[in-house]
């Protein structure tokens, strides 16, 4: 699997689509990031995973479960080691590390459902917004002039590293409002959920 692949949960959410972000490790177990407001379920499917078996289950989340609580719009889904990777869908880059990002910095995202890569800039490296799914406040970063639609939630956001073959993981697409993109910050997810980003040497 690559960051930016489409995934979908089992019924009753079978028609709902989200996207994968970056792969992480928890001890010897592999997980991938996606948006926290996507369903928290025992069955996540990926069309590239053979057979009728789910690729994994939701195992941890940083997303608030009650109104008026502040959190991060992210969750982790288990995955077999055979599906773990550092690639990014429709990009030749591989993940080489992570970054907090800074205002005005150039970024890219591989939007899973929109099936496109869009590159713009960070307009606010730290901001908060209201998430209607939980009726709560979540925090992360914000980029301008990127339009995400339903199904793009969970897609990866990264900064192109100086080395042309690598990307620095920045965020997980959380919401879109017009041409404004909001993302959970990868470094917050790593720290809060106690996992390590899978990187290429």
């Amino acid at each position: 699997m690559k960051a930016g692949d489409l995934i979908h949960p089992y019924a009753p959410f079978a028609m709902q689509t989200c996207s994968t972000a970056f792969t992480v490790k928890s001890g010897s177990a592999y997980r991938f990031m996606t948006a926290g407001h996507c369903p928290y379920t025992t069955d996540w499917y990926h069309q590239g995973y053979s057979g009728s078996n789910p690729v994994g289950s939701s195992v941890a989340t940083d997303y608030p479960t009650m109104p008026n609580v502040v959190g991060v719009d992210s969750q982790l889904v288990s995955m077999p080691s055979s599906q773990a990777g550092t690639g990014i869908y429709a990009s030749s880059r591989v993940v080489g590390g992570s970054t907090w990002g800074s205002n005005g910095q150039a970024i890219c995202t591989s939007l899973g459902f929109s099936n496109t890569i869009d590159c713009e800039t960070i307009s606010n490296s730290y901001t908060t917004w209201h998430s209607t799914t939980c009726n709560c406040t979540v925090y992360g970063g914000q980029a301008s002039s990127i339009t995400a639609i339903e199904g793009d939630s969970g897609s990866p956001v990264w900064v192109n590293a100086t080395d042309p073959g690598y990307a620095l993981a920045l965020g997980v697409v959380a919401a879109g409002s017009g041409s404004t993109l909001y993302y959970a910050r990868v470094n917050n997810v790593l720290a809060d959920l106690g996992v390590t980003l899978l990187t290429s040497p």
Side-chain angles (χ1 to χ4, degrees), residues 129-200:
W129 64 95
H130 181 260
S131 179
T132 56
T133 305
C134 63
N135 190 28
C136 60
T137 298
V138 289
Y139 62 90
Q142 174 183 330
S144 300
S145 302
I146 297 178
T147 301
I149 60 176
E150 186 175 355
D152 290 331
S153 294
S155 297
V157 184
W158 72 90
V159 172
N160 288 333
T162 304
D163 186 321
Y166 290 89
L168 300 178
L170 172 68
V172 180
V173 171
S177 177
S179 60
T180 299
L181 181 80
Y182 296 95
Y183 58 87
R185 302 187 301 181
V186 163
N187 282 341
N188 284 132
V189 180
L190 297 176
D192 293 350
L193 299 182
V195 292
T196 303
L197 186 67
L198 184 66
T199 60
S200 288

Side-chain angles (χ1 to χ4, degrees), residues 14-187:
M15 298 304 294
Q16 184 169 349
T17 302
C18 289
S19 302
T20 63
F22 306 102
T23 300
V24 299
K25 288 193 73 175
S26 176
S28 60
Y30 291 91
R31 321 276 194 229
F32 64 80
M33 297 178 179
T34 191
H37 70 265
C38 294
Y40 195 89
T41 178
T42 56
D43 298 311
W44 277 103
Y45 289 83
H46 166 52
Q47 65 181 20
Y49 188 58
S50 61
S52 59
N53 294 323
V55 69
S57 304
S58 300
V59 294
T61 186
D62 214 9
Y63 190 61
T65 56
M66 297 182 297
N68 306 316
V69 176
V70 178
V72 177
D73 194 345
S74 64
Q75 67 168 292
L76 301 180
V77 179
S78 62
M79 66 190 304
S81 59
S82 62
Q83 293 293 299
T86 59
I88 300 172
Y89 183 77
S91 172
S92 60
R93 294 177 181 264
V94 293
V95 178
S98 63
T99 182
W100 290 102
S102 58
N103 291 350
Q105 189 170 24
I107 63 169
C108 292
T109 180
S110 179
L111 298 172
F113 191 75
S114 294
N115 194 29
T116 187
I117 287 184
D118 201 349
C119 298
E120 295 294 343
T121 58
I122 298 173
S123 53
N124 197 337
S125 61
Y126 177 82
T127 188
T128 62
W129 64 95
H130 181 260
S131 179
T132 56
T133 305
C134 63
N135 190 28
C136 60
T137 298
V138 289
Y139 62 90
Q142 174 183 330
S144 300
S145 302
I146 297 178
T147 301
I149 60 176
E150 186 175 355
D152 290 331
S153 294
S155 297
V157 184
W158 72 90
V159 172
N160 288 333
T162 304
D163 186 321
Y166 290 89
L168 300 178
L170 172 68
V172 180
V173 171
S177 177
S179 60
T180 299
L181 181 80
Y182 296 95
Y183 58 87
R185 302 187 301 181
V186 163
N187 282 341

